[in-house]
Amino acid sequence: MERRSFTYQDLQLSYLDSGGSGPVLIALHAHWMEARTFAPLAAALAPEWRVVALDQRGHGYSAHASSYTRQDYLDDLRALYEHLGIASAILLGNSLGGVNAYQFAAAWPERVRGLIIEDIGVAPVPGTDDTSFSLKWSGSFASRGELAERVGPRFLPYLAESFRETSDGWRLAFEPRETEESQACLKGDHWRDWLTSSCPALIIRGQDSRVTNQRQLEEMAERRPASRLVVLPAGHVVHFDDPEGFTAQVRSFLAEL
């Protein structure tokens, strides 16, 4: 994938683009992650689909921002559409990216051909809202190993691509205080947003996820037309834990559009 960037309201946003003439699928990562997490999916879908994976504000190679409201993320996504010169796209989002995807579809339904929502619901799951433990990841560390030890084995596989070596030492590409602000803005009941759009939707849940509730995601599929739920043997980041199963489900969904 080729790295490109554009500027929106003085904020530089970076993204990866698989290129080609196929229809566009925009992939949106979770908090703490970045566009590169979708590179294997992009390779698997090429050349039929052009996958554009955005480093959302404050993540990856995109700039840090002064605010992380719901509207901020949606405006960034709309700016990406304008930059790419596209009228519509498939939106795929994991966690934070999933909420951004279905809220964007609620606001601009004509611009979304389909939704792939990866392991995120529409209302908080008790016990999953507090991510303040990530604040201890802030700052610079003398070595990559020290940073890895601070992050810990549970999250290290998912965050390794966000490690950066700087003149001050090793640090994460994102700032945990900023993602805490973003997480606070993410909280709430989003049923109305989910039910507002009507494009085809695939919900993918990891059966071992600590973030989502099986019954709530079943209800999401039941209450919204043209929506279905698939459960795969994975945790919260399904495309990372079960890449083959995830890709197969995505490919099958795309073939039906």
Side-chain angles (χ1 to χ4, degrees):
M1 301 180 79
E2 182 176 341
R3 182 163 295 281
R4 299 172 180 171
S5 65
F6 67 102
T7 300
Y8 171 66
Q9 293 187 344
D10 296 326
L11 187 73
Q12 186 175 52
L13 295 169
S14 181
Y15 65 96
L16 293 175
D17 191 342
S18 67
S21 59
V24 176
L25 183 152
I26 296 176
L28 304 169
H29 58 77
H31 277 130
W32 308 339
M33 302 186 74
E34 55 188 80
R36 286 194 295 184
T37 190
F38 292 112
L41 176 67
L45 295 180
E48 291 84 3
W49 289 85
R50 176 188 176 187
V51 176
V52 175
L54 176 66
D55 278 342
Q56 298 180 94
R57 58 173 52 210
H59 292 79
Y61 290 90
S62 287
H64 295 273
S66 60
S67 65
Y68 293 87
T69 67
R70 297 280 76 236
Q71 194 61 47
D72 286 335
Y73 283 108
L74 302 188
D75 288 344
D76 291 347
L77 185 50
R78 183 175 59 173
L80 175 62
Y81 270 72
E82 299 304 322
H83 171 73
L84 296 174
I86 57 174
S88 65
I90 307 296
L91 293 184
L92 182 158
N94 177 209
S95 197
L96 163 72
V99 179
N100 293 345
Y102 67 65
Q103 288 190 330
F104 186 89
W108 295 283
E110 73 282 357
R111 310 207 75 170
V112 183
R113 293 180 53 201
L115 288 168
I116 302 170
I117 306 301
E118 182 184 351
D119 206 67
I120 195 64
V122 292
V125 176
T128 64
D129 277 348
D130 186 7
T131 57
S132 60
F133 61 84
S134 67
L135 294 175
K136 67 181 182 181
W137 304 341
S138 297
S140 299
F141 296 81
S143 68
R144 183 185 182 94
E146 286 188 19
L147 176 55
E149 184 177 0
R150 180 64 63 90
V151 168
R154 176 183 169 190
F155 294 103
L156 181 59
Y158 306 102
L159 303 190
E161 289 186 339
S162 294
F163 282 28
R164 301 286 191 271
E165 186 175 16
T166 71
S167 58
D168 296 325
W170 286 85
R171 61 184 302 120
L172 293 166
F174 60 89
E175 172 48 60
R177 287 185 296 274
E178 294 175 5
T179 56
E180 276 294 279
E181 176 188 342
S182 177
Q183 177 68 16
C185 294
L186 186 65
K187 296 176 183 179
D189 186 322
H190 305 310
W191 269 111
R192 182 175 181 178
D193 293 317
W194 172 246
L195 297 174
T196 294
S197 65
S198 58
C199 63
L202 172 65
I203 308 163
I204 303 178
R205 179 175 189 261
Q207 66 181 15
D208 300 320
S209 173
R210 305 183 188 187
V211 174
T212 56
N213 175 280
Q214 176 71 18
R215 181 59 198 134
Q216 183 184 114
L217 269 61
E218 289 173 349
E219 188 178 358
M220 288 172 62
E222 292 165 1
R223 292 180 58 184
R224 185 182 181 280
S227 303
R228 72 170 187 266
L229 170 66
V230 172
V231 181
L232 295 176
H236 182 48
V237 188
V238 186
H239 70 269
F240 187 96
D241 294 341
D242 183 14
E244 292 184 0
F246 185 85
T247 298
Q249 291 297 331
V250 169
R251 184 180 282 119
S252 176
F253 174 74
L254 295 176
E256 297 171 3
L257 298 177

